[in-house]
Amino acid sequence: MVAAASGACVCVARLGSARLGPDQTNGSSSCTDNLQGGTMAAPALSGRTGSVGSLGNSPTSTAAGRLPHGGSGPELDFRSAARMEDLNRLIQDFSKHDQREYDDQRALEIHTAKDFIFSMLGMVQKLDQKLPVANEYLLLSGGVREGVVDMDLDELSVYARGTDYDMDFTLLVPALKLHDRNQPVTLDMRHSALGHSWLSLRLFDEGTINKWKDCCTIVDHINGTTNYFFSPTLVADWFYQSISLVLLEVQKKPQRGMPRVEKVERNGTIISVILGVGSSRMLYDIIPVVSFKGWPAVAQSWLMENHFWDGKITEEEVISGFYLVPACSYKGRKENEWRLSFARSEVQLKKCISSSLMQAYQACKAIIIKLLSRPKAISPYHLRSIMLWACDRLPANYLAQDDFSAHFLLGLIDDLQHCLVNKMCPNYFIPQCNMLEHLSDETAMLHARKLCSVRSDPAEHLRTTIEHAKAANRLTVELQWRGSSTNLPSPQSDAGGENQPDDRLAKKLQQLVTENPGKSISVFINPDDVTRPHFRIDDKFF
């Protein structure tokens, strides 16, 4: 399938995520945030201005506007004296080189790798029946390192596009799928930082507890009862061992056209798998999660505010579900604490962001990933949150300007620097949760000073990111050329070479991408039959 580098949620290509129907418009009856036996609601905010204003008003957004009526000469950035048209051109140039456009053969290779991953997960389910038989996965374009989900980066190995992989994806795999209204669930937030929770299995049925008992930490109470807390680290241990066992068995009986498993590595609670198919190398960051329908009470106040997506998509689409991902707070207990994730909602919100702002975001992300990599404190997810706050703060007609990518880039840098100086970056969905609270003054100021250098000469930093994108593309092309020169079989060819690759699937997938820009796609998995189509775009099945 042909894909672009917008970083949108995909199934094999640049499409939306799996969409679940809403449980309830205002919270889910099956999920409450428990605080000492009661329901914890988010504290009332002082007002919209207070929550968004914590990011500050970007000076670039206001000062670097159009020249006054009747003015002459090029529009300049006040801080760096760079011409806005030059910055716009550099951002466009970066987007061109950062895009990943694939021919039919590459599309088939992507599809082959995806099917291999899904088949592998079906085999994992059959090992001990822990995973739900009928599961629904969220597949995102871009790896965890790209900030597509809020995970800790400290334990992630450093992989580079072009050197280690050509395409990267993040796959959220529900270990527990709690979508039944009548299933009692307790999010225990008494021991956790804001935005985090323990998950008790105490109210689950005996079958579920027995199935997952070895992945729980056990707390015995004075009254003689035993509480089982679903452990993110133990679940990740089990998941990595199961995937490794399945891949070992699969590789004992290789079949022609089967992807090459080039690397399987555990990075904290993330399992990173690099597959080679033909001349393509694909990185999958696979994360075990807990999937919910509805909306958590701790984020309830966010729904009461006005947002940039109002009237563009429905509230039911935005609050259709959330996840617990295996990531703890900086002072939390790793073996017990999960982080609330709104990745499904973020996929929907992305539909409402202008292409010029997305281009600026991608360019800014490419700059900060390398510049702020040491010491690790800022992740691309922080920048994503800043962008969402900017969408709420700024007029829609301003953000829709096609030739304002330079303004948006400089504004994002200004906002990020403001966040660092004040050590304040509120989570978009839980504004009372400060994602930079843990930073030391020394680290915050170090990164703020680095951003000063970017702000003083943004053009030079953009040229550097363009060169990095070009270098990655050259490495990819070189590896493709080496693969073709050694006559590597295509994933669809047989031993005798009598059957030519069937490009009908690639053409169909290309058609779906072209005809359904920005729409969401669901991926349905049946481990007993991985040969049938598993695509749903909005309400249409393919």
Side-chain angles (χ1 to χ4, degrees), residues 1-17:
M1 185 182 286
V2 177
S6 66
C9 174
V10 300
C11 175
V12 191
R14 183 177 62 85
L15 286 177
S17 73

Side-chain angles (χ1 to χ4, degrees), residues 210-488:
N210 289 332
K211 184 188 298 184
W212 286 106
K213 188 179 295 185
D214 58 339
C215 292
C216 291
T217 59
I218 301 174
V219 177
D220 293 320
H221 295 286
I222 299 176
N223 60 8
T225 61
T226 300
N227 206 345
Y228 296 92
F229 288 101
F230 205 44
S231 169
T233 53
L234 293 178
V235 170
D237 287 342
W238 162 81
F239 201 35
Y240 175 68
Q241 293 167 4
S242 298
I243 287 177
S244 299
L245 180 61
V246 165
L247 290 178
L248 185 63
E249 290 300 315
V250 167
Q251 289 173 304
K252 288 180 180 178
K253 301 176 182 178
Q255 299 178 2
R256 179 166 293 276
M258 187 179 76
R260 306 179 304 277
V261 180
E262 299 189 355
K263 182 174 291 187
V264 181
E265 186 172 83
R266 179 175 174 184
N267 293 282
T269 54
I270 300 165
I271 293 87
S272 297
V273 179
I274 296 181
L275 300 177
V277 187
S279 59
S280 302
R281 296 160 303 158
M282 278 147 275
L283 166 64
Y284 275 85
D285 283 328
I286 307 175
I287 307 172
V289 300
V290 182
S291 175
F292 295 85
K293 274 191 178 181
W295 199 248
V298 70
Q300 191 70 29
S301 63
W302 179 79
L303 296 175
M304 304 298 107
E305 307 289 347
N306 295 323
H307 297 288
F308 72 98
W309 48 267
D310 292 337
K312 298 177 182 177
I313 54 177
T314 66
E315 187 175 276
E316 286 74 17
E317 289 177 292
V318 174
I319 65 169
S320 61
F322 69 100
Y323 297 101
L324 295 182
V325 297
C328 75
S329 61
Y330 283 85
K331 293 183 179 179
R333 292 178 57 180
K334 287 188 176 183
E335 65 272 20
N336 283 341
E337 194 170 270
W338 300 77
R339 178 175 296 158
L340 273 71
S341 170
F342 303 92
R344 188 182 297 279
S345 301
E346 290 165 7
V347 168
Q348 300 298 328
L349 300 184
K350 204 167 189 179
K351 300 175 184 178
C352 307
I353 299 176
S354 69
S355 59
S356 53
L357 179 55
M358 283 305 305
Q359 287 180 343
Y361 164 75
Q362 296 291 351
C364 188
K365 182 174 68 171
I367 292 172
I368 71 165
I369 281 179
K370 289 182 171 58
L371 183 73
L372 306 184
S373 60
R374 294 289 184 273
K376 289 183 178 179
I378 295 295
S379 77
Y381 190 82
H382 292 98
L383 187 65
R384 177 189 290 243
S385 299
I386 289 170
M387 177 179 65
L388 292 173
W389 280 121
C391 289
D392 273 356
R393 183 178 72 237
L394 295 164
N397 58 353
Y398 172 79
L399 294 174
Q401 298 275 355
D402 289 336
D403 58 346
F404 265 35
S405 291
H407 298 76
F408 303 152
L409 171 68
L410 299 176
L412 289 170
I413 296 171
D414 288 340
D415 272 2
L416 181 56
Q417 189 174 28
H418 183 94
C419 289
L420 283 165
V421 170
N422 291 280
K423 292 201 302 183
M424 172 63 72
C425 183
N427 182 285
Y428 182 66
F429 298 94
I430 310 176
Q432 60 271 35
C433 175
N434 176 16
M435 297 189 295
L436 295 183
E437 186 178 23
H438 63 282
L439 275 191
S440 67
D441 292 343
E442 182 182 7
T443 299
M445 293 308 298
L446 173 64
H447 286 319
R449 285 194 294 270
K450 289 180 180 179
L451 285 177
C452 279
S453 69
V454 179
R455 196 61 187 82
S456 298
D457 194 356
E460 182 59 30
H461 284 83
L462 279 171
R463 293 187 191 99
T464 300
T465 61
I466 291 170
E467 290 305 313
H468 287 154
K470 286 181 178 179
N473 290 336
R474 283 195 298 268
L475 284 171
T476 297
V477 171
E478 181 181 344
L479 286 170
Q480 287 177 316
W481 181 83
R482 288 178 182 175
S484 61
S485 66
T486 55
N487 296 317
L488 288 175

Side-chain angles (χ1 to χ4, degrees), residues 100-219:
R100 300 159 190 151
E101 295 186 356
Y102 313 133
D103 56 17
D104 286 348
Q105 182 59 42
R106 177 62 67 87
L108 283 171
E109 292 170 353
I110 296 172
H111 181 76
T112 300
K114 174 196 71 75
D115 275 358
F116 178 83
I117 290 290
F118 290 166
S119 298
M120 175 198 73
L121 292 172
M123 296 174 69
V124 169
Q125 193 279 334
K126 290 182 177 180
L127 282 178
D128 50 17
Q129 306 295 313
K130 273 187 165 68
L131 292 181
V133 175
N135 219 346
E136 194 168 12
Y137 304 159
L138 181 64
L139 181 61
L140 306 168
S141 68
V144 171
R145 296 156 189 80
E146 295 288 313
V148 297
V149 68
D150 185 13
M151 296 286 288
D152 299 321
L153 302 178
D154 291 338
E155 297 178 295
L156 281 176
S157 298
V158 178
Y159 297 150
R161 187 164 72 91
T163 303
D164 301 299
Y165 64 92
D166 305 313
M167 292 147 284
D168 53 338
F169 303 95
T170 298
L171 185 62
L172 304 188
V173 180
L176 287 176
K177 193 173 67 168
L178 306 177
H179 292 178
D180 186 352
R181 288 173 180 264
N182 299 318
Q183 187 170 17
V185 178
T186 301
L187 291 184
D188 190 340
M189 297 183 171
R190 293 172 298 174
H191 318 286
S192 305
L194 195 59
H196 296 77
S197 179
W198 293 19
L199 177 62
S200 170
L201 300 188
R202 181 171 55 88
L203 299 179
F204 284 67
D205 60 87
E206 286 296 322
T208 301
I209 293 176
N210 289 332
K211 184 188 298 184
W212 286 106
K213 188 179 295 185
D214 58 339
C215 292
C216 291
T217 59
I218 301 174
V219 177

